[in-house]
Amino acid sequence: LTAAFQGAITGILSRATTFTSPAVAVDTFTRTRSRNEVYYAMFKPSETVDWVGNIKKLKLNADAVLVDAANNPALDPQFGNIKDSTRTFWSAAVDGSDVEKGGVGELLANRDPATRTIYSNTATGGAFEIFDTTNFDAAALGLTDAQFFSLLGASDQAAASQQINWARGADAYDTDGDGNTGESRGWKLGDILHSQPLVLNYGASDPNDPDLRLLVGSNSGFVHLFANDDGQEDWAFFPKELAGILPARRRNALSSDNVYGMDLTPVAYTYDSNRDGTLDSGDGDKVWVYLGMRMGGKAYYALDLSNPDSPSFMWRIDKNTSGFGELAQSWSEPVVTTIPGYAEDGISKPVLVFGAGYDTSKDAQGVGAPDVEGRGLFIVDAQTGALIWSVTPAINSATNLSEPLLLHSVPANVTVLDSNGDQLTDRIYFGDTGGNLWRVDLPGNALPTASQNTWRIVKLAAFNGGTNATDRRIFNAPDVVRIRQGGKAIDAIIIGTGDRTNPISTDVDDRVYLIRDKATAPYATARPSTGDCADPDVVDFRCSLPLSDSDLFDISDNTIITGTDAEKAVAIAALSNADGWRFDLANAGEKSLARTITINGRAFVPTFTPANLLADINSCQPDSGNGRMYIFDIYTGDRDSIDLGPIIPDTPSLHFSEDGTIRILLPPGAPESSIDQPGIINCEGGVCDVNESLRPPYGNFWFQEDYQ
């Protein structure tokens, strides 16, 4: 029975070889146009732990069709997958959607391991050294020889060296029996489960032929930089702190549990000193990248890629770093921004803002209890990793604002907002795994003092009812849309609930919410007391917080659109008087597992409904469930939806064409017949025209204030 269920689970996962949307690059010369290269990260689950991954490249042609290296349409219109007859770019032969054929993975598999450049942070202060048997030793990891050998699953130095050579890609254990232990062992690229490739555009003198590089993390523990022109690996980075996963990946034991490494999408800060569209370290330009680990660990890494061919290590923070004791698994992708009061010589310095991470205690069955870590928000210096400010349940200090009610972990990305257009973030929104939505205000032009009496936090909404059915959790960043309604400025906050760690659960009634935040400027005063709020002369939106489901109008039956005239009038009045709306995800187990995006008043909300595995007990075919995309009118709640097929949909990637047309790119697996709805969304081969465009002129000019 164990083998049968394991096979069924593997079969289900195998039908959706990608969880992330395709990656695209921004044209550095226009900033308002996407390039036409499209990259798909893939993985293939198996019954053993050493899952494999790949990245494949297609292009969007002038007719907005995804094509392969032979300029043929690449996606099957019936099933939405890459056609079996497709030869993707970088591939010498037809490879289709087969994870173990073509792409950067096959090029790396065929690569002589002796020709690879692999770094690790083993030198003093974490500086880069070549990852080999000389540098990667007990002293570099701060261990005794016995501890080092045990970590690598080795009995002595010879066995440890064998493991390191295997990690470099050599057939160190002579699995083919030919006596050659220095040759390539074959497939080396680990599964890319949640890490969408980051496309770094270094520009060039010719806008049509820029220097593009792809940075991606994998669960084998390696971070890879690939060249766009030929798909070859430029270099890889293996964090020394992940040494313990090497023997587990190499032994490849039969297990339903994957082994995780560097599983978070990288984030970049770029500085173009002369704004010429080219990033050249010789001109003082900067490219700094930030890497988290998701389930691979509780740390963030920063690398300097200003010269992509000569990377260097910048910093690492983990929960043992002073001030970061609340840091849990690093799920939250950092947001690069600037904040009030943090500047040098009058120029704002870049900072990172991220949630404190995921506490695995939430994996337990039943209603989620308060967590012991991950409960907070961090702001750090982008160059040094130094803590600038945080919000956690810990006591007030010069760098921490105490919030005792922040009891649940924050794995989600955060959303930052510049309320007054001064290029400084003065508001932050984030959700937690307790179903709460929070707002942080950073008023003024100075950092807060030790008394923490200037910057503040307030719970905006609470959506968890404390029962199995209402145990709603937030794993996505809120979508913040600045609009006017009834002639008044409001900030619409859109968020969906769903447990990202348990996508096949069916016991929670998840929802999509839109909250109207009426305070469109940062709060400059402390929250009124209960007594103050009882005074009718006190008008402060915080007096009504936190909002709950009962404060929001239920749009689930769509009465505003489909009701009688009398019903419509009542519903319109009720929606107008409410603090927003809520929508029930009606299918059993349907949940929001990706961030929403809003374009011109329409919110695109991806959801996933797990399969009813008991619906047909006699069926031997695994059913992976179904993805759906709702398209909401954020003003009325009216909506349409499209079927995305048997995939767990990510936030769709946006593509901005030369003429300003906005399109969304879907992961493979969405059948064209179910998603093409003319007038709502027109889809062909994974490319959807949403009937929206940028307003002209599109322009080649922009305003940007940078820290040098």
Side-chain angles (χ1 to χ4, degrees):
L1 283 174
T2 299
F5 278 115
Q6 176 61 39
I9 292 170
T10 300
I12 289 170
L13 288 172
S14 296
R15 294 185 63 185
T17 57
T18 178
F19 279 178
T20 59
S21 289
V24 296
V26 174
D27 189 323
T28 60
F29 292 93
T30 66
R31 302 281 178 158
T32 56
R33 174 186 169 190
S34 303
R35 292 193 55 81
N36 292 327
E37 296 89 353
V38 181
Y39 307 94
Y40 295 86
M42 315 176 80
F43 72 96
K44 182 179 181 180
S46 71
E47 297 177 355
T48 54
V49 301
D50 193 26
W51 295 8
V52 300
N54 206 346
I55 300 174
K56 300 194 179 189
K57 172 184 170 182
L58 300 174
K59 283 190 176 181
L60 199 65
N61 69 12
D63 297 320
V65 175
L66 284 167
V67 297
D68 66 2
N71 204 34
N72 294 320
L75 297 192
D76 186 320
Q78 181 177 359
F79 300 105
N81 295 312
I82 298 177
K83 295 178 181 178
D84 292 339
S85 59
T86 291
R87 178 172 68 87
T88 63
F89 290 85
W90 306 320
S91 303
V94 169
D95 56 313
S97 60
D98 192 328
V99 178
E100 294 181 273
K101 289 183 179 179
V104 299
E106 186 171 279
L107 291 170
L108 187 58
N110 295 331
R111 181 88 169 262
D112 181 349
T115 67
R116 297 179 67 194
T117 299
I118 307 178
Y119 301 102
S120 188
N121 52 324
T122 49
T124 303
F128 275 174
E129 288 183 318
I130 295 298
F131 173 66
D132 60 17
T133 56
T134 299
N135 298 320
F136 203 82
D137 59 11
L141 273 64
L143 304 173
T144 65
D145 284 346
Q147 291 171 330
F148 179 64
F149 298 155
S150 176
L151 188 65
L152 293 182
S155 57
D156 53 26
Q157 182 58 53
S161 296
Q162 193 176 23
Q163 174 64 84
I164 293 169
N165 286 331
W166 178 91
R168 284 189 53 84
D171 184 22
Y173 296 88
D174 195 20
T175 55
D176 58 6
D178 66 354
N180 184 355
T181 58
E183 65 185 352
S184 172
R185 62 176 167 84
W187 208 268
K188 306 174 186 66
L189 186 57
D191 56 295
I192 305 170
L193 185 55
H194 301 106
S195 179
Q196 185 184 51
L198 170 65
V199 186
L200 297 169
N201 188 345
Y202 285 86
S205 57
D206 181 0
N208 296 316
D209 188 25
D211 180 5
L212 300 180
R213 312 289 180 106
L214 277 74
L215 186 74
V216 69
S218 74
N219 279 322
S220 60
F222 288 82
V223 176
H224 304 266
L225 187 74
F226 296 103
N228 170 70
D229 56 356
D230 60 6
Q232 291 288 350
E233 179 191 71
D234 292 321
W235 50 261
F237 162 55
F238 182 78
K240 66 180 183 181
E241 293 80 13
L242 283 173
I245 76 170
L246 292 177
R249 299 288 297 206
R250 188 254 305 168
R251 291 166 182 157
N252 201 21
L254 182 70
S255 174
S256 59
D257 294 325
N258 192 15
V259 173
Y260 295 90
M262 301 298 289
D263 197 28
L264 192 70
T265 297
V267 173
Y269 163 76
T270 61
Y271 171 71
D272 184 359
S273 61
N274 55 11
R275 296 181 173 87
D276 63 353
T278 295
L279 298 172
D280 185 344
S281 59
D283 292 338
D285 299 343
K286 296 179 177 64
V287 179
W288 300 338
V289 298
Y290 308 96
L291 302 145
M293 305 178 75
R294 271 186 76 99
M295 294 177 70
K298 303 175 182 180
Y300 286 95
Y301 294 80
L303 308 181
D304 187 343
L305 272 58
S306 301
N307 180 347
D309 299 315
S310 182
S312 61
F313 188 84
M314 294 175 64
W315 51 261
R316 175 183 183 270
I317 55 175
D318 65 15
K319 72 177 291 91
N320 296 316
T321 305
S322 178
F324 292 92
E326 196 67 40
L327 189 62
Q329 287 185 345
S330 51
W331 287 46
S332 184
E333 295 171 22
V335 175
V336 182
T337 187
T338 53
I339 58 174
Y342 199 66
E344 186 175 284
D345 298 328
I347 300 176
S348 295
K349 300 172 65 175
V351 304
L352 306 178
V353 187
F354 52 89
Y358 180 66
D359 185 343
T360 55
S361 66
K362 274 290 194 304
D363 290 343
Q365 297 296 315
V367 178
D371 293 320
V372 298
E373 63 180 3
R375 304 163 300 176
L377 174 86
F378 292 111
I379 302 178
V380 306
D381 185 291
Q383 185 173 17
T384 67
L387 177 64
I388 299 170
W389 193 70
S390 62
V391 184
T392 73
I395 62 173
N396 276 342
S397 72
T399 56
N400 184 69
L401 171 63
S402 179
E403 177 46 75
L405 297 180
L406 187 50
L407 301 175
H408 299 271
S409 57
V410 185
N413 299 350
V414 306
T415 300
V416 301
L417 182 65
D418 172 14
S419 298
N420 56 12
D422 65 355
Q423 309 298 304
L424 300 174
T425 287
D426 51 31
R427 215 184 313 164
I428 303 169
Y429 293 90
F430 67 91
D432 66 29
T433 55
N436 302 301
L437 190 60
W438 299 85
R439 166 176 166 157
V440 176
D441 288 272
L442 317 176
N445 55 12
L447 295 175
T449 64
S451 62
Q452 297 291 349
N453 60 357
T454 54
W455 292 0
R456 50 188 53 86
I457 184 171
V458 64
K459 185 187 293 187
L460 189 61
F463 298 134
N464 191 312
T467 67
N468 284 330
T470 61
D471 187 20
R472 303 185 183 98
R473 307 180 185 186
I474 297 175
F475 280 80
N476 310 310
D479 185 9
V480 180
V481 187
R482 313 208 77 185
I483 61 174
R484 285 188 176 274
Q485 189 149 12
K488 296 181 179 180
I490 62 168
D491 292 325
I493 317 299
I494 306 166
I495 191 71
T497 66
D499 188 349
R500 188 68 180 85
T501 67
N502 193 8
I504 63 173
S505 66
T506 58
D507 54 345
V508 179
D509 299 327
D510 283 302
R511 289 172 171 166
V512 178
Y513 296 92
L514 181 145
I515 290 175
R516 299 173 185 152
D517 191 347
K518 300 174 182 177
T520 58
Y523 287 113
T525 60
R527 180 176 181 173
S529 67
T530 302
D532 291 335
C533 288
D535 185 341
D537 293 329
V538 174
V539 180
D540 192 309
F541 186 53
R542 288 173 292 183
C543 289
S544 62
L545 302 182
L547 301 175
S548 65
D549 290 65
S550 61
D551 297 306
L552 308 175
F553 179 72
D554 185 357
I555 64 167
S556 302
D557 61 7
N558 210 19
T559 302
I560 288 179
I561 304 300
T562 62
T564 65
D565 289 345
E567 290 171 336
K568 289 180 181 180
V570 172
I572 291 171
L575 176 58
S576 177
N577 292 326
D579 289 306
W581 52 254
R582 57 182 170 88
F583 174 75
D584 294 329
L585 296 174
N587 296 320
E590 186 175 10
K591 52 185 65 69
S592 172
L593 300 178
R595 181 176 182 172
T596 71
I597 58 172
T598 303
I599 306 172
N600 197 21
R602 293 196 298 168
F604 294 78
V605 182
T607 69
F608 174 71
T609 301
N612 183 354
L613 298 179
L614 300 180
D616 185 357
I617 197 67
N618 296 313
S619 174
C620 294
Q621 294 295 321
D623 190 344
S624 56
N626 201 73
R628 178 165 295 277
M629 180 81 73
Y630 291 90
I631 307 168
F632 286 94
D633 182 312
I634 64 174
Y635 296 94
T636 67
D638 189 24
R639 67 269 177 190
D640 297 285
S641 67
I642 55 177
D643 182 4
L644 297 180
I647 63 172
I648 300 177
D650 194 8
T651 301
S653 296
L654 291 177
H655 186 277
F656 300 89
S657 67
E658 187 174 2
D659 65 359
T661 300
I662 301 174
R663 296 182 175 89
I664 60 176
L665 307 181
L666 301 174
E672 182 179 318
S673 58
S674 64
I675 60 177
D676 188 19
Q677 297 189 25
I680 301 170
I681 183 169
N682 307 303
C683 298
E684 181 177 355
V687 182
C688 299
D689 187 345
V690 296
N691 301 300
E692 302 289 354
S693 61
L694 293 176
R695 295 183 180 91
Y698 316 121
N700 294 331
F701 307 97
W702 65 96
F703 174 82
Q704 185 173 343
E705 184 174 294
D706 291 296
Y707 165 67
Q708 185 171 355

